[in-house]
Amino acid sequence: AIQVTQSPTSLSASLGDRVTLTCRASQDINNKMAWYQQKPGEVPQLLIYYASTLQSGTPSRFSGSGAGTDFSFTISHLQSEDFATYYCLQGYSLYTFGAGTKLELK
Amino acid sequence: EVQLVESGGGLVQPGRSLKLSCVASGFTFSNYGMNWIRQAPGKGLEWVAYISSGSSYIYYAETVKGRFTISRDNAKNTLYLQMTSLRSEDTALYYCARGITIAAIPDAWGQGASVTVSS
């Protein structure tokens, strides 16, 4: 089974900051990486799929990149509604979620 | 508007069975692969099972293989998850989620059905 290592586990940042999260797959997954946002008590929301394709409705301050085994997710200018937990998901061979990154206000 | 509504959750004793349902609306259910994904209290997301649009392809996580069965009834726009030999570690909120693209990446999710396995 493909393992996915997401980092960091938690991150403190300020409004307006640029933050980057990373996920590493245990083998080449081409571009089959997706990113989700989940706020407490809410359902996960798909933000990006195929590593860099923005899901309809995803604000342009969110972006994704990478291929093969290494992927990154960036929020260019943090807004208050962005503080949440983010998960990556590999969809190349079955599905594996990363452990999540909790983004908190500094 | 895409809607997915799960039902069938509850409190069940270890070793017993439970069947979840997910009724879909707002899209052509028979055109999409579907997933079950769970989240234990305070924990991360765990993919559980996938079924293709016509039920030809079915896959399970190793943690549930042999105990859980995913199925669907396209005439009723309904997805199912039959869970047997339940364990305490199966306690979670179970989401059904529609899959998009060839990789069936989950996009739309239901609100979840809560399953608690405890004596």
Side-chain angles (χ1 to χ4, degrees), chain B residues 62-95:
Chain B
E62 285 297 323
T63 52
V64 306
K65 193 179 291 185
R67 300 188 299 121
F68 289 12
T69 302
I70 189 173
S71 62
R72 64 191 295 162
D73 185 336
N74 286 344
K76 295 182 178 179
N77 288 346
T78 304
L79 176 72
Y80 302 100
L81 185 68
Q82 175 70 56
M83 303 183 291
T84 64
S85 302
L86 283 162
R87 307 166 179 167
S88 58
E89 54 264 38
D90 296 319
T91 294
L93 188 61
Y94 284 74
Y95 296 103

Side-chain angles (χ1 to χ4, degrees), chain A residues 13-86:
Chain A
S14 303
L15 293 174
D17 281 356
R18 177 186 178 93
V19 297
T20 297
L21 317 180
T22 64
C23 276
R24 172 167 288 176
S26 59
Q27 66 184 71
D28 189 336
I29 61 167
N30 197 339
N31 67 342
K32 302 301 187 293
M33 182 64 78
W35 294 90
Y36 295 83
Q37 177 193 69
Q38 187 179 32
K39 297 178 181 179
E42 297 187 9
V43 173
Q45 299 293 321
L46 175 64
L47 300 178
I48 289 172
Y49 61 95
Y50 283 176
S52 61
T53 301
L54 264 61
Q55 171 70 337
S56 175
T58 299
S60 58
R61 65 181 180 276
F62 294 96
S63 64
S65 65
T69 60
D70 294 318
F71 299 85
S72 62
F73 170 82
T74 298
I75 309 173
S76 62
H77 191 86
L78 273 173
Q79 300 192 7
S80 57
E81 60 266 33
D82 299 336
F83 293 96
T85 299
Y86 292 85

Side-chain angles (χ1 to χ4, degrees), chain B residues 100-119:
Chain B
I100 61 168
T101 76
I102 290 292
I105 298 299
D107 69 332
W109 299 51
Q111 290 299 310
S114 179
V115 173
T116 301
V117 184
S118 175
S119 55

